Amino acid sequence: MAEALLQVKNLKKYFPIRSGILNRVTNNVKAVDGVSFDIYKGETLGLVGESGCGKSTTGKMIVNLLKPTSGEIVFNGENIVTANKKRQKEFRKDIQIIFQDPYASLNPRMTIGDIIAEPIKINNLAKHGNVEKRVLELLDYVGLASYQKNRYPHEFSGGQRQRVGIARALAVNPKLIVCDEPVSALDVSIQAQVLNLLDDLQKEFDLTYLFIAHGLNVVKHVSNRVGVMYLGDLVEVAADNDLYKNPKHPYTQALLSAIPIPDPKAKKERIILKGDVPSPINPPQGCRFHTRCNKCMEICKKEKPKMKEMENGHKVACHLYDESSVE
Ligand code: SF4
């Protein structure tokens, strides 16, 4: 296995809930509650789960847009969370993010050229005369024409704006890019073009991606490994072909059963999850998924299952596999 570029260790993010005249903290929204995973150099790790499961919050902590409540984010052997300000600024260059809504993330009053030039100037990555040359180079990498640098974000389509977001992320020569649902807001016909572009850029610049998405169908074609999150916790991680062929966690099995097969003769039994996702303020005791799981046992209501490695790096947190675990 390749070297880990990023290690996330027992990462937590609690958002306090305040109430009363004294504005005291009365509870916490446990958005991310003890997530651990590695991302290896040059790979794409897909991270999926329903809305509110904590996947985007995890991504934002990795790029330092949110401060973790506790836990470690180790990049190239160094803990980002406890690094000094100078090092954190350097990490911000190495780890970039592409947002879901490219329009909201681009300043509407700046031209595309200025938007892409901004991080180059802030980080002194090109001498004055070379900034424009670099901007044109980046526009070319993402499939935009040089004359478009003088246009404003509103003059572009959703797919083109996402290309601008990618160019801006590339401008600082990052090593890791957090792709936070980068194609969710795009038409299906455009999604494939942006995914292909990300794939080409990964090969060209030896990039590593954390690819956050709502559904397993989106990450299937772009990920080397996939992690599944539920209610602030990681429940399963495996190589993508292993996860799709042999899902072990009942939640992953339910998510996969919801993906339509483009064959009218193929039979597939859809697993319907009962109830709604519980509140992250008071998550269920034991296994967080037990209130919706069709295989729930008594132990699931009391004990939180540990993440166990099964085979070939396939990890799952579920009591169904307690005896066969290698831990
Ligand atoms: Fe279902 Fe129990 Fe496994 Fe949780 S630990 S997913 S409740 S079988």
Side-chain angles (χ1 to χ4, degrees):
M1 183 57 85
E3 200 182 327
L5 180 67
L6 187 94
Q7 293 171 291
V8 171
K9 298 180 186 177
N10 202 18
L11 194 65
K12 294 184 184 176
K13 181 66 191 177
Y14 293 179
F15 294 100
I17 301 170
R18 295 174 187 276
S19 57
I21 301 169
L22 298 174
N23 205 22
R24 286 213 174 103
V25 176
T26 51
N27 218 327
N28 287 293
V29 175
K30 294 167 182 153
V32 177
D33 202 10
V35 165
S36 301
F37 58 84
D38 293 346
I39 307 181
Y40 300 104
K41 269 186 186 155
E43 79 162 345
T44 299
L45 177 73
L47 200 57
V48 297
E50 289 164 289
S51 296
C53 71
K55 54 191 190 302
S56 286
T57 306
T58 302
K60 287 190 180 116
M61 285 191 277
I62 291 172
V63 292
N64 212 356
L65 287 175
L66 281 175
K67 195 170 168 41
T69 304
S70 65
E72 290 180 30
I73 301 170
V74 179
F75 180 75
N76 255 340
E78 205 175 330
N79 188 359
I80 297 176
V81 181
T82 53
N84 62 31
K85 284 206 168 127
K86 186 171 171 273
R87 286 297 292 144
Q88 289 206 349
K89 199 177 165 208
E90 284 159 13
F91 287 132
R92 237 171 259 149
K93 199 157 64 66
D94 286 336
I95 309 173
Q96 286 289 302
I97 186 165
I98 301 166
F99 293 101
Q100 175 182 358
D101 182 353
Y103 195 52
S105 66
L106 302 176
N107 187 337
R109 291 184 198 87
M110 288 170 76
T111 64
I112 294 307
D114 287 342
I115 287 171
I116 300 171
E118 195 178 38
I120 302 173
K121 289 178 186 166
I122 288 172
N123 291 287
N124 290 324
L125 293 173
K127 295 229 167 70
H128 187 65
N130 289 335
V131 174
E132 186 173 349
K133 196 172 150 217
R134 176 73 175 140
V135 169
L136 296 180
E137 189 180 56
L138 287 159
L139 284 172
D140 186 43
Y141 287 145
V142 298
L144 293 171
S146 55
Y147 69 86
Q148 291 176 307
K149 76 181 168 60
N150 296 321
R151 297 196 170 167
Y152 289 86
H154 74 269
E155 298 177 73
F156 289 82
S157 68
Q160 287 175 322
R161 284 198 284 259
Q162 197 53 288
R163 286 173 190 267
V164 175
I166 295 168
R168 186 179 55 179
L170 278 183
V172 291
N173 305 316
K175 296 186 175 74
L176 172 72
I177 299 183
V178 174
C179 307
D180 188 5
E181 304 211 37
V183 295
S184 308
L186 304 178
D187 286 351
V188 177
S189 56
I190 307 296
Q191 287 186 1
Q193 292 175 16
V194 173
L195 292 176
N196 287 340
L197 172 66
L198 286 169
D199 190 39
D200 292 345
L201 294 171
Q202 182 173 39
K203 289 181 193 127
E204 174 92 21
F205 299 108
D206 201 17
L207 293 166
T208 304
Y209 292 147
L210 174 64
F211 196 101
I212 296 167
H214 190 72
L216 279 163
N217 50 342
V218 177
V219 293
K220 188 170 197 256
H221 301 291
V222 294
S223 307
N224 302 96
R225 290 185 306 133
V226 176
V228 179
M229 280 186 78
Y230 182 79
L231 205 58
D233 221 347
L234 197 65
V235 297
E236 186 164 6
V237 191
D240 74 329
N241 48 4
D242 199 14
L243 190 99
Y244 289 89
K245 276 194 201 130
N246 185 21
K248 295 195 186 294
H249 198 282
Y251 179 57
T252 314
Q253 290 166 357
L255 287 182
L256 279 172
S257 79
I259 300 176
I261 303 173
D263 176 359
K265 287 184 196 138
K267 282 203 177 138
K268 190 174 178 187
E269 201 181 319
R270 170 107 195 248
I271 302 167
I272 308 284
L273 289 176
K274 51 186 180 185
D276 294 324
V277 181
S279 164
I281 299 171
N282 282 313
Q285 293 289 307
C287 170
R288 290 186 171 192
F289 186 57
H290 87 253
T291 53
R292 305 174 78 195
C293 180
N294 56 4
K295 293 175 182 162
C296 179
M297 305 171 284
E298 269 315 300
I299 188 176
C300 308
K301 297 175 191 167
K302 297 177 204 138
E303 268 183 46
K304 186 178 174 185
K306 284 192 185 137
M307 186 65 92
K308 306 161 203 87
E309 183 157 344
M310 306 296 288
E311 69 269 313
N312 304 326
H314 194 144
K315 293 181 183 171
V316 62
C318 174
H319 288 304
L320 288 173
Y321 307 96
D322 278 355
E323 272 161 31
S324 57
S325 82
V326 292
E327 248 189 8

